[in-house]
Amino acid sequence: MRSLVVYESMFGNTRAVAEAVAEGLGDDVRIVEVGDAPTEVGADVDLLVIGAPTHAFGLSRPSTRDDAAQRAHKAGTRFLSRSDGVREWLERVRVTAPVGLAVFDTKVDKPRLPGSAAKKVAKQLRGAPVEPVAAPRHFLVADALGPLINGELDRAREWGSRLPGRVRAS
């Protein structure tokens, strides 16, 4: 099965989850930062996995990415996704053949904190020839800069390992 994992990551947490998901998927996986993602997804992809950080209860916007860049600078942390985010990529991408879809996000570990980038991704792709193969998955970070909560990368690998079977079943 051919998989494409597209991610947006400000501080490296979402990238780490994307890499763990890709490990779980196994062979024939292409993983790309959203700034390098193709603008067309066609018959050469069986499963599209999209991951993004939750910003202001949904997908990042230019203003929330600017805020994240300032936080990274103040903290002396490396800032990763510098171009458009998943929101803008979804406005440009064309899905030209049926594909399985799995979405995930990273979000701060606070009970009852509303919002989800993953749910926004799934909503934005309604009407495209995609078939969701799993419910949106959330991976938790200790705070906006991270780190990921212990065990989240193992959860991501395990989730990724189950996705191929769901594509074949759908």
Side-chain angles (χ1 to χ4, degrees):
M1 183 179 66
R2 299 154 303 182
S3 302
L4 173 63
V5 179
V6 176
Y7 71 89
E8 173 185 348
S9 186
M10 301 296 124
F11 311 116
N13 300 299
T14 310
R15 178 184 64 189
V17 171
E19 290 169 347
V21 170
E23 284 177 35
L25 287 168
D27 297 331
D28 208 0
V29 178
R30 181 174 170 217
I31 181 169
V32 295
E33 193 273 333
V34 69
D36 297 322
T39 55
E40 184 172 308
V41 176
D44 60 327
V45 174
D46 300 307
L47 174 64
L48 175 61
V49 180
I50 303 171
T54 299
H55 280 211
F57 312 115
L59 288 168
S60 74
R61 298 182 303 281
S63 62
T64 64
R65 286 192 295 275
D66 288 346
D67 179 60
Q70 290 174 10
R71 284 181 176 196
H73 179 72
K74 286 179 184 175
T77 302
R78 200 169 124 213
F79 186 70
L80 301 177
S81 292
R82 297 183 175 276
S83 64
D84 287 344
V86 167
R87 176 189 300 266
E88 292 82 9
W89 179 71
L90 288 171
E91 292 170 359
R92 289 190 306 266
V93 70
R94 287 183 8 169
V95 181
T96 60
V99 62
L101 175 68
V103 296
F104 72 88
D105 60 28
T106 51
K107 56 190 298 182
V108 176
D109 184 20
K110 290 190 178 175
R112 297 180 295 278
L113 184 66
S116 165
K119 289 179 182 178
K120 299 288 186 188
V121 169
K123 186 175 181 179
Q124 258 187 275
L125 284 171
R126 284 189 192 141
V130 298
E131 179 66 34
V133 298
R137 182 60 60 103
H138 313 292
F139 297 95
L140 303 176
V141 293
D143 65 33
L145 294 173
L148 286 158
I149 300 296
N150 287 338
E152 292 300 85
L153 293 179
D154 291 333
R155 283 184 58 235
R157 274 186 215 90
E158 194 272 328
W159 184 66
S161 73
R162 287 183 294 151
L163 295 174
R166 293 180 178 190
V167 172
R168 291 185 200 108
S170 64

